[in-house]
Amino acid sequence: MKTGSRSSRLGRTARRRLGKTVVYLLCILGSVLMLIPLAWLVRSSVMSLGQIFAFPPEWIPSPWRWENYPQALTSIPFFRYFVNTLVILVPSVLGTVITSTLAAYGFSRLQWPGRDIVFGILLTTLMLPYAVTLIPTFLLWASLGLVGTYWPLVVPHFFGGGIFYIFLLRQFFMTLPKELDEAAIIDGASPPQVLWYVIVPLSRPALITVVIFATLFEWNDFLEPLIYINRSSQHTLALGLAEFTGLYTSQWHLLMAASTVVILPVLVLFFFAQRYFIEGIALTGTKG
């Protein structure tokens, strides 16, 4: 009996190890597949135009054309586009975090008639394609005479921030014990004080997750600036990258170099905030 029990335990241990090995191998394979486009981008950024489209593909540049980077950054007013992007990104992310936090607090910690019904209606708007509201929204801003300015790209973020971000923060807030709110209220705190001194400090992972998502969206947004901005001096980095592609010829090597520079801030942001990002995603939604 002891021999059989021991062999059974060894068999289960072997199966668990085999299962972990298979999972690790699948994760490594998936990571490699995800990194191939990035490697292709970086490799193409230091090649000539002819080398990029050579067949069979050349993975190692020969020679390394580092001059593509200064040439790409001077072919367009890169610094101006960078500043324009920040002018839109900073207030947009700030508005998203503030209004999403306030709305999520109202939907998760405050009791008021029809709260869950209103929240359910808001969630249904996530199923609406962006194209459905595109024309009415554009006509609204056009009637206000604000097309051609940054206002249509910034102001909406101060009126809700985004349903997805509200949902994300609401689910996180609901994981926090309500006894904390009750204790603060007994000590004389008002609902805004409870939010600022109790909920916000405990929700740092979720808030950082919202900041990362909102920053990525605004940094990479191409469609909205294309619709509302009509002067090249107001272009963002996403619109600036499109200037490397023309009707008859495209400077792909310069586009790859400029694209590599553009994605570097995003990689740095995620590198320093990945711990909070993973923690915020892991803890969100653990309580309905």
Side-chain angles (χ1 to χ4, degrees):
M1 291 293 294
K2 291 183 178 180
T3 304
S5 176
R6 182 179 180 183
S7 62
S8 178
R9 288 197 300 269
L10 291 175
R12 288 195 296 269
T13 302
R15 287 194 296 270
R16 284 197 296 269
R17 289 179 178 176
L18 178 61
K20 288 183 179 180
T21 302
V22 172
V23 171
Y24 289 151
L25 289 176
L26 291 176
C27 290
I28 294 173
L29 178 60
S31 300
V32 171
L33 292 176
M34 294 297 104
L35 288 174
I36 286 178
L38 179 60
W40 186 274
L41 172 69
V42 176
R43 154 259 188 203
S44 301
S45 68
V46 289
M47 282 185 167
S48 64
L49 190 59
Q51 285 180 307
I52 294 177
F53 297 101
F55 187 83
E58 301 177 11
W59 282 98
I60 306 299
S62 180
W64 294 70
R65 296 176 57 90
W66 296 108
E67 62 271 19
N68 287 350
Y69 284 90
Q71 186 178 352
L73 300 183
T74 55
S75 296
I76 61 174
F78 188 87
F79 182 75
R80 176 188 291 273
Y81 294 166
F82 177 75
V83 172
N84 293 343
T85 303
L86 291 182
V87 168
I88 298 173
L89 184 147
V90 173
S92 296
V93 174
L94 181 64
T96 295
V97 173
I98 292 175
T99 56
S100 297
T101 301
L102 293 173
Y105 179 70
F107 282 121
S108 61
R109 315 297 284 192
L110 303 180
Q111 298 293 332
W112 44 278
R115 183 191 69 174
D116 294 336
I117 296 176
V118 173
F119 183 69
I121 294 173
L122 287 177
L123 285 183
T124 60
T125 61
L126 287 174
M127 296 183 290
L128 290 176
Y130 177 72
V132 173
T133 59
L134 178 61
I135 295 178
T137 304
F138 179 83
L139 294 177
L140 172 63
W141 290 111
S143 64
L144 296 175
L146 296 177
V147 173
T149 68
Y150 292 144
W151 291 109
L153 305 176
V154 175
V155 171
H157 297 280
F158 286 88
F159 292 89
I163 305 303
F164 172 74
Y165 305 127
I166 294 174
F167 170 77
L168 189 71
L169 291 176
R170 173 187 179 271
Q171 296 304 106
F172 190 92
F173 290 170
M174 292 184 69
T175 65
L176 303 177
K178 289 193 174 182
E179 289 77 9
L180 298 174
D181 300 28
E182 296 169 357
I185 292 174
I186 291 175
D187 289 339
S190 62
Q193 290 175 321
V194 172
L195 172 63
W196 181 251
Y197 293 107
V198 178
I199 302 300
V200 169
L202 296 175
S203 304
R204 186 170 60 175
L207 293 173
I208 292 178
T209 301
V210 170
V211 170
I212 293 175
F213 276 135
T215 300
L216 290 177
F217 177 81
E218 296 300 327
W219 186 264
N220 298 319
D221 190 19
F222 176 82
L223 182 59
E224 285 194 346
L226 179 65
I227 293 173
Y228 292 107
I229 295 175
N230 48 31
R231 289 194 303 237
S232 60
S233 60
Q234 296 177 306
H235 280 182
T236 61
L237 287 173
L239 293 179
L241 292 178
E243 296 183 16
F244 290 105
T245 58
L247 182 61
Y248 300 104
T249 59
S250 297
Q251 298 172 304
W252 294 109
H253 56 307
L254 301 184
L255 174 60
M256 298 298 181
S259 299
T260 302
V261 175
V262 169
I263 67 173
L264 281 179
V266 175
L267 295 178
V268 172
L269 172 65
F270 183 79
F271 177 79
F272 286 102
Q274 61 177 326
R275 180 170 67 89
Y276 299 103
F277 174 76
I278 295 172
E279 184 179 354
I281 293 296
L283 296 179
T284 297
T286 58
K287 181 178 179 181

